[in-house]
Amino acid sequence: MSKTSTERPTQVGTEERSGMSEHRRRELADFLRTRREKLKPEQVGITHLSRRRTPGLRREEVAELAGVGTTWYTWLEQARDIQPSSEVLRRLANALRMNTAETRHLFALAGKAYSPEVDQPPEVPSESILRLVKNGIKETAVLVDSRWDVLAINDVCAKNSPELAELAKIRGNFLIHSLKKTRLHATNWEHICRQMIGQFRAGLGDTVDHPWVTDLLERLSRECPEFDGWWKAHDVHDISPVILEVDSTVYGKGRWERSMISPSENPRLKILIFSPLD
């Protein structure tokens, strides 16, 4: 078996208490045990096997794969009152070959915020999400990923906004497009832009120092002179609706509500919906 990091979490006694209820600790312990028992040794490269009396991997094998102490991991499966860090949880998830849903559940049980790996490949929406955007929403709808790159739009959007239709063809960035164009069409363009930037920041999680973020921030600074000042304000906003007050020769005059939803099967994606209020 190939060895991973030699780092070992501190044993109980100096480890911080988790603050979790006994029921939650038991749920976490049972979840780890069931994932371990379902994983076949050959799936993690263990081929020279002695006679095994238990299904799946042994605790010491999981501990070695995750780079943690065997005793410490055993205590975790015994629902001891210890607090695994986010880094240790991520290594356990990798060692146990957890999928995204299982990893998110692991973090939730441990009371930690889950952020996807920063080096994950570009997000690909499922067919069900694409059908929802294209056929399930009657108003203008735009699907974006965590970078706010446009992945898809519906027919209503293509009809109402040829610019967004072109953006979708090249997977262009909605933030850059909006910061350049909003001031041309909206009377409350600064409010809209600052809300959008705060929502983008809220979704970064632990990817804030990743190269793609730095690159995007530099591009936003070049496209919008006000961006640096807005970004340095460190405003963070949830996905609550934003009202656009439009007055332009392209879209006419009126008020639009831009709401945002995240599909439960892939919360990193966002669907922006523009509904006329007038």
Side-chain angles (χ1 to χ4, degrees), residues 32-47:
L32 288 170
R33 176 183 53 78
T34 57
R35 297 313 94 184
R36 173 174 60 81
E37 292 177 350
K38 285 187 175 183
L39 197 60
K40 297 179 180 179
E42 53 268 27
Q43 290 179 265
V44 297
I46 302 175
T47 55

Side-chain angles (χ1 to χ4, degrees), residues 78-118:
Q78 292 174 344
R80 299 283 189 97
D81 191 11
I82 54 178
Q83 179 175 316
S85 67
S86 295
E87 172 60 24
V88 170
L89 289 173
R90 199 177 296 280
R91 284 187 294 182
L92 286 173
N94 290 336
L96 293 168
R97 303 298 191 267
M98 293 186 186
N99 59 33
T100 301
E102 291 171 327
T103 303
R104 187 180 297 114
H105 183 62
L106 173 68
F107 273 67
L109 288 175
K112 298 289 186 181
Y114 169 69
S115 296
E117 292 282 4
V118 297

Side-chain angles (χ1 to χ4, degrees), residues 3-273:
K3 291 186 178 295
T4 55
S5 168
T6 57
E7 177 186 348
R8 294 293 188 269
T10 311
Q11 306 297 335
V12 170
T14 57
E15 182 79 18
E16 292 183 4
R17 295 291 179 178
S18 68
M20 294 187 291
S21 67
E22 182 178 353
H23 175 72
R24 181 182 286 268
R25 296 199 307 271
R26 178 55 58 191
E27 285 289 315
L28 174 62
D30 289 346
F31 182 64
L32 288 170
R33 176 183 53 78
T34 57
R35 297 313 94 184
R36 173 174 60 81
E37 292 177 350
K38 285 187 175 183
L39 197 60
K40 297 179 180 179
E42 53 268 27
Q43 290 179 265
V44 297
I46 302 175
T47 55
H48 301 290
L49 305 177
S50 57
R51 185 170 181 176
R52 307 175 76 89
R53 292 178 293 179
T54 57
L57 298 183
R58 295 166 176 161
R59 285 173 174 169
E60 59 267 26
E61 291 168 341
V62 174
E64 184 174 358
L65 287 168
V68 300
T70 299
T71 301
W72 184 90
Y73 178 76
T74 300
W75 284 336
L76 199 58
E77 276 202 15
Q78 292 174 344
R80 299 283 189 97
D81 191 11
I82 54 178
Q83 179 175 316
S85 67
S86 295
E87 172 60 24
V88 170
L89 289 173
R90 199 177 296 280
R91 284 187 294 182
L92 286 173
N94 290 336
L96 293 168
R97 303 298 191 267
M98 293 186 186
N99 59 33
T100 301
E102 291 171 327
T103 303
R104 187 180 297 114
H105 183 62
L106 173 68
F107 273 67
L109 288 175
K112 298 289 186 181
Y114 169 69
S115 296
E117 292 282 4
V118 297
D119 58 350
Q120 62 185 339
E123 296 147 35
V124 179
S126 67
E127 290 298 320
S128 62
I129 292 177
L130 291 175
R131 283 193 296 270
L132 171 63
V133 173
K134 293 181 178 294
N135 305 321
I137 300 175
K138 297 181 180 180
E139 308 293 352
T140 296
V142 181
L143 177 67
V144 300
D145 60 13
S146 57
R147 295 168 172 78
W148 287 56
D149 290 342
V150 178
L151 305 182
I153 61 174
N154 63 1
D155 291 340
V156 180
C157 180
K159 179 180 179 180
N160 291 339
S161 179
E163 292 178 340
L164 285 177
E166 291 300 315
L167 206 64
K169 292 179 182 179
I170 61 172
R171 192 167 175 152
N173 187 265
F174 186 85
L175 289 172
I176 294 175
H177 170 81
S178 296
L179 292 189
K180 291 171 61 177
K181 300 294 184 179
T182 302
R183 71 171 72 226
L184 303 178
H185 306 302
T187 58
N188 63 336
W189 64 273
E190 180 175 344
H191 171 71
I192 295 167
C193 291
R194 298 189 71 152
Q195 286 288 119
M196 190 163 44
I197 291 169
Q199 291 169 336
F200 170 67
R201 184 190 289 276
L204 285 179
D206 61 4
T207 66
V208 67
D209 58 349
H210 195 261
W212 74 259
V213 177
T214 303
D215 177 67
L216 179 55
L217 296 182
E218 290 176 353
R219 292 168 60 195
L220 289 166
S221 295
R222 291 195 299 268
E223 299 292 347
C224 178
E226 296 85 359
F227 175 78
D228 281 341
W230 296 340
W231 186 255
K232 290 176 181 177
H234 285 268
D235 293 333
V236 180
H237 298 294
D238 59 19
I239 59 175
S240 57
V242 179
I243 305 300
L244 288 76
E245 298 173 357
V246 179
D247 187 0
S248 76
T249 57
V250 177
Y251 299 107
K253 186 175 182 179
R255 296 167 65 246
W256 294 71
E257 181 181 68
R258 194 213 71 198
S259 55
M260 184 190 305
I261 59 175
S262 293
S264 57
E265 67 177 89
N266 191 343
R268 299 183 69 225
L269 302 180
K270 300 174 182 64
I271 303 174
L272 310 179
I273 304 171

